[in-house]
Amino acid sequence: MRRRRRVWAIAVPIMGGMMSQNVLNLVDIGMVGRLGDSALAATGIGSFANYLAIAFIIGLSAGVQALAARRLGEGRVAETAVPLNGGLALALIIGLPMCALMVVATPFAFGLLTGDPAVQELGVPYLQARLLSMVAVGMNFSFRGYWSAIHMTGVYLRTLLIMHAVNIFLHWVLIFGKLGAPELGVFGAGVSTTVAQYIGVLLYFFFAWRHARDKGFLQRLPSRATLWQQFRLSLPSSLQQFFFAAGMVALMWIVSQIGTEEVAAINVLMTFHITAMLPAFGIALAAMTLVGNALGRGDVEDAAAWGWNCAALTFVYGTVLSLLLIPLAHPILGLFLTNPETRELAYLPMVLWALMISFDTAGMVLMNALIGAGDTRRSMWISLLWQWLFYLPLAWLVGPVLGFGLLAVWIVNGVYRVGQAITCGTTWAGGKWAAIKI
């Protein structure tokens, strides 16, 4: 019972923030979906392309959280914010040039992802607007890693709730031209999300100035050697995020070879997948912190137990979610897909996805537990091999090549998710992560 309370104390605020993210994702689809299949396909491709572009910088949060959690476990409380300083500096150094390069490259890159002129016309300015938030995203994720590491996830929750409330309000204003604003449509959705990200940065700096100055926030940067160590620790996670995101973009491209209706359907399916995973991700972040704290104390057995405890919690969560979603699949899809044919395309894939979600959530927790232990390289390789050597080649084969359609692609997706989860479980049970020093 005491262990569960410790997990929930960290995870519940994160889960609350993730539920807020759920609402934002669903409102986003609901609003843009009223503009038609082309608009929905444009934001779907644009969102995954944006995730690809910012994925590398998102990975910086893993280094911040792993190092800060380990320092807390070691009793070096006054140094816990030094990795945060390093994460913010790296977000600025890496984010600015990447942002400029990606914005310029967007028209060419979007043309590679879809040949539909209507989708391209809507998607290019949307993606460019989203890319302008790159530095803000890197900083926000670094802050999230820090608040999770020091057991102050309530700060994360408060900030995210404000960000998402602003985002939804600006969506309504800018997409549909309310309150005298121009009607920007899909482009307005991109602008509102970017503005909300920078508001989040300002809020995080305010809270960190109040709560983390005595822990080293903005008092000193890590030394060059320490910053390099932090970058090396974060690099596998950054690459893992990048290739995972690249896989999502590759999947969107594969499905686009089947048809635009399939792209609209998979946009909804992937949004539901991410939405369902977000609450479990709160427990995964708690596992990262608690594993790091335990290893900082030198207690390997406790670290191992935290990984299994958190995985079990998310397996139960996934099972309950499956029982709820399967009978409600048709009415839920009807809220976001107005085209009956597109809705039917998405139905069976959604049921199949619901059947394997419990394995996926448990595997995600154990993958994050490996990251919390500093075993970022092994976590990276598990993700890369399953996605790029198994899933994407088979998805291409059964989808566009053999013509079995979206349903076959999603069957392969289920095998990929379950197989990756089993690999994470066996790797965690092997215990090689316990010898890593950071």
Side-chain angles (χ1 to χ4, degrees), residues 216-270:
F217 178 65
L218 297 185
Q219 302 303 307
R220 64 184 178 90
L221 280 173
S223 66
R224 185 177 299 178
T226 303
L227 196 62
W228 176 243
Q229 179 199 23
Q230 183 170 341
F231 176 73
R232 290 179 61 190
L233 179 64
S234 300
L235 182 60
S237 288
S238 293
L239 291 173
Q240 179 180 336
Q241 290 283 347
F242 174 80
F243 280 105
F244 179 78
M248 293 297 98
V249 174
L251 177 62
M252 293 295 287
W253 179 81
I254 289 170
V255 174
S256 74
Q257 305 308 298
I258 304 174
T260 298
E261 288 182 350
E262 283 79 3
V263 174
I266 202 174
N267 184 20
V268 174
L269 289 169
M270 289 305 300

Side-chain angles (χ1 to χ4, degrees), residues 316-332 350-351 353-355 357:
V316 172
Y317 159 76
T319 302
V320 172
L321 187 64
S322 296
L323 296 174
L324 292 174
L325 281 179
I326 290 174
L328 295 175
H330 261 308
I332 289 173
M350 185 171 181
V351 171
W353 160 76
L355 289 172
I357 193 67

Side-chain angles (χ1 to χ4, degrees), residues 31 169-184:
M31 289 186 180
F169 173 72
L170 291 178
H171 261 32
W172 176 72
V173 171
L174 296 178
I175 291 175
F176 302 112
K178 303 297 184 180
L179 303 180
E183 185 177 339
L184 300 179

